Amino acid sequence: MGVDNGAVLVTGLGATTPLGGDADSTWAAMLAGESGIGPIEEEWAAGLPVRIAGRLRVEPSEVIDRVRARRLDRCEQVALIAARQAWADAGAPGVEPERLAVVIGTGTGGALTMLGQDDVLEASGVRKVSPHTVPMLMANGPAAWVSIELGARAGAHTPVSACASGAEAIAMGLDLIRLGRADVVVAGGAEACICPLPLAGFAQAKAHSTRNDEPGRASRPFDVDRDGFVIGEGSAVVVLERADFAAARSARAYARLAGAAVTSDAHHITGAAAEGQVRAMRRAVAEAGLAPRDIGLVHAHATSTPLGDLVEAESVAEAIGRHPAVTATKSMTGHLFGAAGAVGALAAVLALRDGVVPATRNLERLDPAVGLDVVAGAPRRGALTAALTNSFGFGGHNASLVFTPAP
């Protein structure tokens, strides 16, 4: 098949997050302004400066059988759960295996397995190390397991670009279809790394909130009192289809993935640069065939860090303008790192479908330097012409996606 530059539709959604065990419950909780962030009760957290996180609302053990779960890292488990949901939601498209691809991004992959098995090795020796260690810790594990589950033979890809991974995976899915390499792509992100080392590292970097006594108020993007992000875990996955393929099977579409762009800052390993973010947004909007004034909603990356939120606010104002409604759902889920961009895509798609923008939780006093129309207090209703989502990651990775209503 030659290059196909036709429309690409979102026909399936799946998720497991700190707000819910599927896409519908996650979305309902977002609209209700719920928080998925709570205290870490395990003993290992007692001596850490950070003792809060966005844990899954539904444990994978309630969904995946025990034998299977023992051979999967938690990151692989959540990816498989979300992909199964998305595939079923799309009606299990009857696509040839050689025309079906998988792209699941992650930031840390099987970090829990790697750290846990290293502890086993140190404490009990090599004979106690699990023979499943390597397939469980490898970053491509989530994509590999999803491809095996669905029989996808057009490629199983794994963007690893820190907090931009999930969005970059969806952008790659768009490219695969437009280049004629697949008719259907299962794309998204997965992350599960709530354990001592990342928490200690982020605390030392002064990046994580230490509002341990008020977990539900800790993640507060754009608020003047924000003091850092809150780590979260989970996965979100979308099914992308070439429009004519979806039409041939009378598939229901949530939205159109109209444009995407990926840029890099080449600036600083952890510091954000407005210029790279601006280029990503402008390219995504242009690729969608739109003008900045057409964007009615921006789902901000907005992690709740003092500097990062301001850099993004400056970038949005320059690239898009100050007219769009802006929402920051990490205020409810926490920061799901490699899955964050996919969760943002899910929120944008459902906002377009329902004509409603979730309010940003904990936004009590908007930082006057932000200068954007950030939705707070209650969801805002009204028809939306287009939505843009941002995802930015350590290393200078920037990814923007543009969605428009389903045709």
Side-chain angles (χ1 to χ4, degrees):
M1 178 178 290
V3 175
D4 181 5
N5 288 318
V8 174
L9 304 179
V10 179
T11 60
L13 299 173
T16 181
T17 74
L19 293 177
D22 56 27
D24 288 341
S25 58
T26 295
W27 178 237
M30 283 182 179
L31 294 181
E34 296 180 12
S35 175
I37 297 167
I40 300 174
E41 304 287 1
E42 288 88 345
E43 290 184 7
W44 56 256
L48 293 175
V50 172
R51 299 185 299 279
I52 54 176
R55 282 276 174 71
L56 291 173
R57 183 66 61 92
V58 177
E59 275 296 309
S61 59
E62 298 181 29
V63 183
I64 297 179
D65 69 82
R66 184 172 57 86
V67 174
R68 184 76 177 276
R70 288 180 60 186
R71 299 182 179 184
L72 300 174
D73 181 82
R74 191 173 177 88
C75 182
E76 296 170 336
Q77 293 174 15
V78 295
L80 196 57
I81 289 168
R84 285 174 174 174
Q85 292 175 6
W87 189 250
D89 188 47
V95 58
E96 292 295 322
E98 292 76 14
R99 303 294 301 163
L100 172 62
V102 171
V103 192
I104 305 292
T106 184
T108 62
L112 293 180
T113 292
M114 180 167 62
L115 294 171
Q117 289 300 306
D118 184 64
D119 289 343
V120 170
L121 177 63
E122 293 292 328
S124 304
V126 66
R127 291 183 178 276
K128 294 296 183 180
V129 172
S130 170
H132 303 292
T133 295
V134 173
M136 291 173 69
L137 68 81
M138 61 191 194
N140 63 306
W145 279 113
V146 171
S147 71
I148 292 168
E149 174 95 0
L150 302 179
R153 298 179 181 175
H157 307 276
T158 305
V160 179
S161 46
C163 308
S165 302
E168 191 166 333
I170 294 172
M172 183 180 292
L174 177 66
D175 287 344
L176 288 171
I177 293 175
R178 285 181 168 174
L179 289 169
R181 295 174 180 168
D183 297 321
V184 180
V185 179
V186 177
E191 205 73 86
C193 59
I194 299 174
C195 60
L197 186 59
L199 285 168
F202 286 128
Q204 287 295 95
K206 308 298 182 185
H208 200 292
S209 173
T210 55
R211 202 183 293 256
N212 295 312
D213 297 331
E214 299 178 297
R217 301 183 68 238
S219 183
R220 42 199 320 111
F222 299 124
D223 189 84
V224 70
D225 292 324
R226 65 192 182 277
D227 70 331
F229 63 75
V230 178
I231 189 172
E233 62 179 353
S235 176
V237 171
V238 301
V239 174
L240 304 175
E241 292 190 45
R242 206 179 72 238
D244 57 346
F245 185 90
R249 66 182 193 89
S250 301
R252 176 246 9 241
Y254 285 100
R256 178 186 178 190
L257 176 53
V262 175
T263 68
S264 55
D265 295 337
H267 164 67
H268 190 276
I269 196 65
T270 57
E275 186 272 340
Q277 297 178 6
V278 169
R279 281 190 291 115
M281 285 183 263
R282 284 179 172 168
R283 287 182 184 180
V285 171
E287 185 178 286
L290 301 174
R293 64 177 177 275
D294 298 318
I295 302 298
L297 166 64
V298 172
H299 183 284
H301 182 62
T303 63
S304 185
T305 60
L307 180 59
D309 286 7
L310 291 184
V311 173
E312 183 176 13
E314 174 190 342
S315 301
V316 170
E318 182 177 345
I320 307 299
R322 301 187 187 276
H323 64 277
V326 176
T327 188
T329 61
K330 290 182 182 68
S331 60
M332 296 174 268
T333 64
H335 190 1
L336 273 62
F337 302 148
V343 174
L346 181 148
V349 165
L350 292 176
L352 283 173
R353 183 196 68 176
D354 296 345
V356 58
V357 179
T360 302
R361 183 182 168 90
N362 299 322
L363 184 52
E364 298 166 358
R365 291 189 298 157
L366 179 67
D367 188 329
V370 169
L372 299 176
D373 180 16
V374 185
V375 179
R380 183 181 300 176
R381 298 190 178 276
L384 297 167
T385 54
L388 178 142
T389 73
N390 282 330
S391 297
F392 310 129
F394 281 2
H397 306 280
N398 310 299
S400 295
L401 308 173
V402 173
F403 297 91
T404 56

